[in-house]
Amino acid sequence: MNEIRAPFRAYAPGTQPDNDSPQYRSTGLRHPTRPLLKIPQTITELTGPQFSPAHFPPTDNIAVNGTHEAVGERIIVEGFIRDEDGRPVANTMVEIWQANAAGRYNHPRDTHDAPLDPDFRGSGRVFTDSDGAYRFITIKPGSYPWSNHANAWRPNHIHFSLFGAGYATRLITQMYFPGDPLLELDPIFLATADAQARNRLIAKFDLDVGKQDYALGYRFDMYLRGRNATPMEDNHADHH
Amino acid sequence: MQTTTSQTIGPYWHLIEDRSWSDLTRFGATGEVITIEGTISDGAGAPAADACVEIWQTSPTACDEFPGFGRAATNEAGVFSFKTIMPGPVRGPGNTLQAPHLAVTILARGLMFHLATRLYFDKEPANENDPVLSLIEDKARRNTLMARQTKAGVWHLDIHLQGDAETVFFEI
């Protein structure tokens, strides 16, 4: 039995957002209108890209540009990436991107009238260690307005992109900050029906993650799909 | 613990874009080099100009010279493009063989959860018995996954998020 071939588990009901989320206006013309077709997990879905730090060099401190410190409140974010059974997802690439302290993305399409910071590009990449732990240093992102509805503001957030073991474990998410009053007004955060599931997107404030006289810290653990106990029927049929 | 909840990639994901990633031959892969190009449009027929398109292929097998994975942004016209190596068939469930294909993931503003589909190659005889294509009962809709050769080495696929020509998207 080759465990690597066991299919990934279905998502727990209610824990993932519906693409048809009318409160988030941009979904209107972009969500599929026909039911998704359930397909078996084949070698294509059970395997996935593996990134090496040699080809994809890590950048774990994005709060500094050479010797220039970015403007804003420096923070350390760390956590574990595990599967649903608690197994570490080791050596996996974690990509992050975010607005600067003023709530402005270093992006040509961001027209918000808040200052850009020449010392903050706002993107980075790290790899988990053998325990599935990751850590990076950044600036606490600011809130910013968006055009979804009248006086709409996004809560402070950091975008995360994860791959995990297979094509089927791809995850794009956002990390939020505890105590943010905008969370209960945000249609993106609220698009997930299960309140417990969406509340897990809120990082935990943790002084021990921070560093004295240097930065405050937040802990944000993420979980990728676990595997079913039963391997695929064609487990033995390895023609390669 | 349950799988972490997905959130949209949003309109500013280009901060992690590296344009070289759209070329899967950049680490020195050899084989039949092909260009994959296509468009993404929304329910009003407007181009999705801020989408992230990712491809993954298990043939040829990923190695130091060939990542098997690519990422490209759509431009103002909703057009994306990749350079890669033509895949061969790979094994499927049971004793089946899958026709040459690429897994395609679409992430964008307005998508809370990424969309999964595949790209197959038009006129490939193995398509007839492909175990995934065969699951699409309406045979006309199988064409929504079929890239067409526009010139030597160039394959084109239009992806429709909604509408009469809506692409078949998968639950994996």
Side-chain angles (χ1 to χ4, degrees):
Chain A
M1 295 291 219
N2 181 0
E3 192 189 28
I4 201 82
R5 295 279 173 256
F8 295 102
R9 214 170 282 164
Y11 296 97
T15 62
Q16 296 296 327
D18 192 340
N19 271 326
D20 184 5
S21 291
Q23 299 297 106
Y24 173 22
R25 215 176 57 192
S26 293
T27 62
L29 289 169
R30 291 188 165 191
H31 71 83
T33 61
R34 306 185 197 215
L36 302 181
L37 177 69
K38 190 164 175 51
I39 64 165
Q41 293 177 19
T42 74
I43 184 173
T44 303
E45 292 75 30
L46 290 166
T47 60
Q50 303 302 316
F51 301 89
S52 73
H55 277 331
F56 303 92
T59 47
D60 65 341
N61 183 353
I62 66 169
V64 66
N65 174 26
T67 56
H68 292 244
E69 297 287 340
V71 173
E73 181 186 335
R74 191 189 294 124
I75 58 170
I76 295 171
V77 178
E78 71 171 39
F80 289 105
I81 300 173
R82 296 191 165 130
D83 74 9
E84 291 170 281
D85 301 307
R87 284 185 279 231
V89 182
N91 309 316
T92 198
M93 186 170 75
V94 181
E95 298 170 285
I96 56 158
W97 71 103
Q98 61 169 86
N100 70 18
R104 176 83 184 266
Y105 285 89
N106 183 8
H107 189 288
R109 289 183 201 162
D110 185 355
T111 56
H112 176 38
D113 181 21
L116 280 167
D117 178 355
D119 294 317
F120 191 74
R121 176 178 152 75
S123 63
R125 173 197 301 147
V126 293
F127 287 82
T128 56
D129 66 14
S130 56
D131 289 327
Y134 74 91
R135 177 182 187 267
F136 62 89
I137 302 167
T138 186
I139 294 295
K140 188 173 181 185
S143 305
Y144 57 87
W146 61 310
S147 59
N148 191 70
H149 55 272
N151 205 12
W153 292 74
R154 288 302 326 278
N156 305 341
H157 63 278
I158 298 175
H159 295 266
F160 277 78
S161 162
L162 307 180
F163 289 87
Y167 171 73
T169 58
R170 187 86 174 92
L171 173 69
I172 292 274
T173 192
Q174 300 179 26
M175 179 198 108
Y176 299 99
F177 289 83
D180 191 330
L182 291 169
L183 284 168
E184 291 309 315
L185 304 171
D186 182 52
I188 293 178
F189 178 70
L190 296 174
T192 301
D194 184 321
Q196 280 190 330
R198 60 180 191 251
N199 285 336
R200 284 198 292 271
L201 298 179
I202 304 171
K204 303 254 186 311
F205 174 71
D206 189 339
L207 269 183
D208 293 334
V209 169
K211 193 171 156 188
Q212 184 168 339
D213 300 328
Y214 181 73
L216 290 176
Y218 293 88
R219 169 163 290 283
F220 184 54
D221 298 330
M222 285 168 282
Y223 296 85
L224 301 179
R225 295 170 78 178
R227 291 179 189 272
N228 283 331
T230 315
M232 279 178 62
E233 56 171 310
D234 69 333
N235 203 23
H236 57 283
D238 195 333
H239 304 302
H240 293 262
Chain B
M1 194 63 83
Q2 293 157 342
T3 307
T4 299
T5 297
S6 172
Q7 300 278 270
T8 182
I9 198 169
Y12 305 127
W13 69 270
H14 306 86
L15 287 173
I16 58 164
E17 184 194 7
D18 178 337
R19 291 187 182 186
S20 74
W21 289 26
S22 67
D23 181 358
L24 285 74
T25 68
R26 69 192 184 282
F27 299 127
T30 54
E32 181 190 346
V33 177
I34 57 170
T35 297
I36 301 287
E37 57 177 35
T39 63
I40 303 181
S41 55
D42 72 12
D50 53 21
C52 172
V53 185
E54 294 180 346
I55 59 172
W56 165 243
Q57 57 189 97
T58 49
S59 167
T61 305
C63 59
D64 275 352
E65 289 74 35
F66 184 67
F69 172 83
R71 176 187 284 162
T74 53
N75 67 14
E76 291 296 335
V79 174
F80 63 88
S81 172
F82 292 96
K83 187 174 169 186
T84 188
I85 304 293
M86 184 66 160
V90 295
R91 69 183 187 277
N95 292 317
T96 62
L97 203 58
Q98 301 191 73
H101 66 276
L102 310 177
V104 179
T105 303
I106 299 163
L107 309 109
R109 169 182 64 87
L111 291 175
M112 288 298 303
F113 195 99
H114 56 272
L115 299 179
T117 183
R118 283 185 175 190
L119 180 151
Y120 286 86
F121 298 88
D122 188 33
K123 299 196 167 66
E124 161 62 50
N127 290 341
E128 199 57 39
N129 297 312
D130 181 84
V132 170
L133 280 175
S134 304
L135 294 174
I136 306 172
E137 288 180 10
D138 178 352
K139 285 195 175 180
R141 292 199 75 210
R142 295 180 191 175
N143 286 329
T144 67
L145 309 188
M146 219 48 76
R148 289 181 168 76
Q149 192 166 12
T150 54
K151 52 186 162 182
V154 180
W155 296 82
H156 184 96
L157 180 68
D158 291 319
I159 295 172
H160 298 272
L161 302 178
Q162 294 182 351
D164 292 342
E166 184 174 309
T167 296
V168 174
F169 296 107
F170 300 141
E171 177 189 342
I172 294 168

